Amino acid sequence: MLNKKVGFIGCGNMAKAIINGMIESRIIAPENVWVFDRKPETNQAMAEKYGLHAAESLESMAREVDILVGAIKPNVMLKLLGSIAGLLKKETLVVSIAAGITLDALATVLGHDRKIIRVMPNTPALVGTGMTSVTPNVLVNEEETDIILKIFRSFGNAELVSEYLIHSVVGVSGSAPAYVFIMIEAMADAAVLGGMPRKQAYEFAAQTVKGAAQMVLETGQHPAALKDSVCSPGGTTIEAVKTLESKGFRAAIMEAMQKCMEKSEQLSKA
C-alpha cells in the first residue's frame, strides 16, 4: 500500500472510477484520499461510501496532498490550478486528466519546476477495464511514474506514452469505445433481422466483442492469425470477411481514426 496522500479536484465519473480502483485494489488507504468537488453533497457521499476525506476547501487540500489529480473540465483546469500553485508542496506531483491540455500549458500555470503528469483514461474505466496513457514531464522520476501507472492499472491497463503520440491515443482508445459501440449495435441489428430478440442480440454481440478482444490480449497472437483460425475453407466466416473487405471495413475504420486524430490536434491548438 502506497504511503501517499492523494487529492482530487472534481469528483465526476472518471474521478470516482479512479478512487474506486485505488481503494478496491488496496493501493492507497481511504484515509489518505481527499476529494473536493464544487458540489458539497458529492464530497459527503464519497466520504460516507469509502471513508475518505471530504476536503473543506481546495486550498486546504492543496497544502495537504502529495499527489493532486485534476479531474475537472479543461476550460476551468488551468485557472483553478493556477490559483493554488503557490500552496502546493515542492514535491507534490500534479496529474491532469483534462483532454487537450499540454504539459507545457500546465507548467505555465503551475511553474516550470513542477512535476506534472498528463494522463488520458477512457470510459471503460467506469467498469474497471480502462486503457490509460501516462505522459510525465522530464522532472518526474521513474519511481513517481511507477506510482501513477500502478494507480491507473487498478481499473484496467496503463502505459507510458510520449506526448507527441497523444492524438494517436485519442484515436485508438479515447474516442474508440464509440466505434465499438456502433459495431455492437450493427451486429445486434443484424441478429434481430435474423429473428433474435433485441436484448439477447445485444448480449451475444457485446460478449463476442469482449471475448475477441480478450483473445488478442491474452494469446499475444497477431489479430490476422486469430481471424484466420475462425475462417474455415468455403465457410460462413470467410463469406462475411469477404463482404467486409468489399465494403471497405478496414479503410473506413482507419479513415475515421485519422479524422479523429486530426480533430484532436486542431482542438489542442485552439
Side-chain angles (χ1 to χ4, degrees):
M1 193 172 282
L2 298 172
N3 188 26
K4 297 286 183 182
K5 295 178 180 179
V6 185
F8 288 81
I9 307 176
C11 198
N13 286 336
M14 193 58 71
K16 288 174 181 174
I18 300 168
I19 291 166
N20 184 71
M22 287 192 315
I23 293 176
E24 289 294 316
S25 301
R26 301 180 63 81
I27 289 172
I28 293 175
E31 56 266 28
N32 282 336
V33 179
W34 278 255
V35 294
F36 182 78
D37 189 88
R38 62 185 176 84
K39 298 177 183 175
E41 59 271 24
T42 299
N43 300 329
Q44 198 54 45
M46 291 296 286
E48 290 173 5
K49 182 175 181 178
Y50 293 104
L52 49 73
H53 300 275
E56 293 181 5
S57 68
L58 179 57
E59 292 75 16
S60 65
M61 183 175 76
R63 294 187 184 96
E64 186 76 36
V65 298
D66 304 304
I67 300 170
L68 183 68
V69 181
I72 50 179
K73 299 293 183 185
N75 61 334
V76 294
M77 175 74 82
L78 295 177
K79 183 180 178 181
L80 267 186
L81 288 179
S83 72
I84 59 168
L87 304 176
L88 299 170
K89 293 181 283 190
K90 185 176 182 294
E91 291 300 308
T92 296
L93 185 64
V94 178
V95 178
S96 167
I97 68 170
I101 299 182
T102 64
L103 289 172
D104 187 61
L106 291 163
T108 299
V109 298
L110 288 164
H112 290 276
D113 58 347
R114 173 67 61 191
K115 297 180 177 187
I116 304 168
I117 296 186
R118 182 181 178 185
V119 301
M120 185 173 291
N122 63 3
T123 55
L126 305 179
V127 291
T129 54
M131 185 70 227
T132 304
S133 68
V134 174
T135 305
N137 71 0
V138 294
L139 300 175
V140 180
N141 63 40
E142 188 176 346
E143 182 183 355
E144 291 164 333
T145 301
D146 286 344
I147 288 171
I148 300 305
L149 283 168
K150 190 171 185 180
I151 288 172
F152 282 86
R153 284 171 179 163
S154 70
F155 52 88
N157 198 6
E159 295 293 338
L160 275 176
V161 176
S162 298
E163 192 168 33
Y164 79 92
L165 291 172
I166 206 73
H167 306 301
S168 295
V169 170
V170 173
V172 78
S173 71
S175 297
Y179 328 149
V180 180
F181 296 147
I182 291 171
M183 180 178 165
I184 290 170
E185 183 185 27
M187 289 168 65
D189 281 347
V192 171
L193 187 63
M196 183 178 280
R198 172 67 63 181
K199 184 177 179 181
Q200 195 173 43
Y202 282 135
E203 182 181 2
F204 268 80
Q207 182 63 34
T208 298
V209 170
K210 180 182 178 182
Q214 198 66 26
M215 286 182 73
V216 173
L217 293 171
E218 291 193 8
T219 66
Q221 290 188 54
H222 193 288
L226 292 169
K227 178 264 294 178
D228 288 352
S229 71
V230 189
C231 293
S232 304
T236 57
T237 309
I238 194 64
E239 188 70 30
V241 169
K242 174 180 174 290
T243 303
L244 290 173
E245 295 289 4
S246 70
K247 298 294 183 181
F249 183 63
R250 294 177 201 238
I253 293 171
M254 292 175 70
E255 186 176 349
M257 287 183 59
Q258 191 174 22
K259 293 293 184 183
C260 178
M261 291 185 275
E262 288 173 2
K263 185 69 172 180
S264 175
E265 193 165 1
Q266 289 170 16
L267 292 173
S268 71
K269 294 174 180 176

